[in-house]
Amino acid sequence: MIKWLFMNRSIRTKIVWSNMVISLVPLLILSYLFYQTSTSSLEQAMIRSSDQNAEYVSDNLDQYFRNLSTSALQVYGFKRVIDLMENGTNYSDANIMDIRESLAGYYRLVVSNNADIIKITVLGSDNTVQDSWSRADSYNVIELNDQVPHYREIPDLPFQHSLMFTYTDPVIEQDLFVYAMTIYDPFYKKKFGSLVFYVKGKDFYKKMEKYNRSPNVIVLQNERGETFYRTSEAYAGEVKPYVRPERMIDSHAHQLHFSQNRELLTSTSYLDHANVGLSVLYPSTELADNRRNTLRITIVVLVLVMLVIAGFSLLAQQFITRPIQYLGKAMRAVRRGKFNTTLKPNRWHDDLSELTANFNFMTEKIQELIEKEYKMQLRNKEAQFLALQMQINPHFLYNTLQTIGGKAVLIGDYEIHEMCRALGDMFRYSFYEGNMESTLGQELAHLNNYLYIQQLRFEESLKTEFEVQSELMDCSMIRFMLQPIMENTIVHALGQEDHHLLVIGVTAVREGKDVLIVIRDNGTGMETEKLAELQAALASPAPEVFSGVSIGLRNVHERIRLFYGPPYGLTLDSTLGEGTIVKIRIPYKKTGAEHV
């Protein structure tokens, strides 16, 4: 976006857009702060109100479900009812009347605490119905059979677990709320039986809706994660399935959290010792309206400010862009080579008039300095060539003379003559003071003289192979490119393992407008860290020409780059235990001058 606004645009457009952007930044910051403050205040007020409401709803509904669980657990106070559940009914028992009286007393106790219960079913330890109570005869047809959800789970609920659900009874064709609990021996965890309470659905819904306030939504889930009551189908996807914690929870604490878009506040609570999960959803409609109003105000203000700034910017740019346009035309003339171009000074003493004066001064100085600076750069470059070429390690000459003397004393062979000849040719080639350029053929001849002497020194440990296209022999190149690389190869390869047969191959081929010379050996190679260090040294130029280092890979590489340019030079690759490859790339150019 920024690139589209400012790149390849006129000064007039850039001034207008710059003023608008600079002015809009503080306005956007203020609008953002206003938006955050108002939204935060409304959120805090909503959280306080929702927290109070959630606590009220949680406490009342928890009390309702705890009344049911407490009524079920009060059966422990009726020993004859427990015996009935555990052992079943024996109508020949003389205490049958006492059992009936205990059942009636228990039923009265349950109904007195829970007036909405319409039916109570008592199951024995063998999961059969031992007794039941109904508020009216019409409810006697309600049976616990396979048409009831969780029919097979109800008799064998875990200890201290209860199960709640709603369903439509097919016989009476009414919605029913079912509360079931399995009764155990509290010490030995032996099952006595189960109790099932039935409540009419409309009475249950009325009780739940009593604590709800629209547009809030109450959602109740049993320990299976099933929703058995919901005041509204709104926000169905915002409530996660309830997962009962491993331990029983008696705390009435609840948690409040916003949804991802912060337009819905959700409260979650544990009811009836965590057998029921309660979620209360509070839509933040006021917060959403506030966001929309703030956005409208911000957009209106931004549009007005943009129009005002654009108008003033268009007026102001006339006094700025016109002198700059003149200056741009003059600069284009200088770019075409007209360094004597000047501008008429402005009558106002401002930044643009100072810029015009500096431009005139610059063009005058350019005419004075360009030739002087250009010639100085040429001389400096030539001096660098000469300095780099003069960095020759004399140790090789001394070692060679010692080798010749040793041969003369020990052997007296005719090889001394050839060694002297080769050394003489090398001297003449090395100390030649004429043109710094040579040819590939002459470089190879110089390299052969060097290898002949080294062959006498290392004898059977050194072997060389050449593969050079004949048409490349007249290719022009600077002196001392191949011999320093060959010397580096021999020193590092044979200097470490004298018993190893070192095979050095030299190839030269033409690739388009370039010539590629490759020198490879089967030496010990280099470790990855050492190779990376040498490659980094080749990639960065030396800090100064007379750096005190001997002639080598970096010396040759920098000479090639100075003479031919950055695209050319050396590349180095090596594998530990396999050898090293040095590639030299130079431009292809036939020689037209005299050489030694």
Side-chain angles (χ1 to χ4, degrees), residues 142-160:
I142 300 175
E143 295 183 359
L144 192 63
N145 51 35
D146 54 3
Q147 294 182 342
V148 178
H150 306 289
Y151 162 69
R152 299 190 181 278
E153 301 177 34
I154 289 175
D156 296 302
L157 295 174
F159 180 66
Q160 293 183 338

Side-chain angles (χ1 to χ4, degrees), residues 288-454:
D289 293 340
N290 180 268
R291 289 195 185 101
R292 286 191 290 270
N293 292 334
T294 304
L295 181 61
R296 293 192 189 100
I297 294 173
T298 303
I299 292 176
V300 171
V301 172
L302 288 177
V303 171
L304 292 177
V305 171
M306 289 173 62
L307 293 176
V308 173
I309 294 176
F312 280 102
S313 299
L314 289 173
L315 294 176
Q317 58 83 28
Q318 294 293 337
F319 299 96
I320 299 176
T321 59
R322 191 170 299 166
I324 294 178
Q325 290 174 352
Y326 294 150
L327 182 60
K329 292 180 180 179
M331 287 183 174
R332 285 193 292 271
V334 172
R335 186 172 60 185
R336 291 193 297 267
K338 297 180 179 180
F339 299 108
N340 58 348
T341 304
T342 57
L343 291 173
K344 181 180 180 181
N346 295 327
R347 57 182 178 180
W348 300 287
H349 298 286
D350 55 9
D351 294 339
L352 293 176
S353 62
E354 182 69 19
L355 185 61
T356 301
N358 290 335
F359 175 81
N360 293 335
F361 178 79
M362 178 191 66
T363 55
E364 294 174 1
K365 284 297 182 181
I366 285 177
Q367 297 181 71
E368 298 176 4
L369 297 177
I370 187 169
E371 184 176 355
K372 177 181 177 181
E373 190 68 23
Y374 181 73
K375 290 182 178 180
M376 185 177 295
Q377 289 180 2
L378 292 179
R379 293 194 184 100
N380 288 338
K381 198 167 188 179
E382 184 178 355
Q384 289 182 343
F385 295 157
L386 295 176
L388 288 171
Q389 188 170 329
M390 291 172 61
Q391 296 182 45
I392 301 176
N393 190 346
H395 292 81
F396 166 71
L397 301 179
Y398 301 150
N399 292 337
T400 302
L401 292 176
Q402 290 177 0
T403 302
I404 294 174
K407 286 286 182 180
V409 173
L410 298 176
I411 301 176
D413 199 310
Y414 188 73
E415 293 175 343
I416 297 176
H417 171 72
E418 291 298 322
M419 291 180 65
C420 292
R421 180 199 60 76
L423 185 59
D425 291 342
M426 291 183 64
F427 282 164
R428 284 193 297 274
Y429 188 85
S430 299
F431 297 120
Y432 176 68
E433 297 181 356
N435 193 343
M436 69 175 62
E437 287 188 87
S438 181
T439 64
L440 177 58
Q442 293 173 340
E443 274 288 294
L444 291 175
H446 178 68
L447 183 61
N448 276 326
N449 290 329
Y450 170 81
L451 290 173
Y452 177 79
I453 296 173
Q454 294 293 1

Side-chain angles (χ1 to χ4, degrees), residues 153-159 161-163 180-182 184 223-224:
E153 301 177 34
I154 289 175
D156 296 302
L157 295 174
F159 180 66
H161 283 233
S162 60
L163 180 61
M181 177 181 286
T182 302
Y184 289 86
E223 65 173 16
R224 303 293 195 276

Side-chain angles (χ1 to χ4, degrees), residues 76 157-160 182-192:
Y76 288 111
L157 295 174
F159 180 66
Q160 293 183 338
T182 302
I183 305 301
Y184 289 86
D185 184 326
F187 300 103
Y188 301 103
K189 303 298 186 297
K190 176 184 176 182
K191 187 180 80 170
F192 291 144

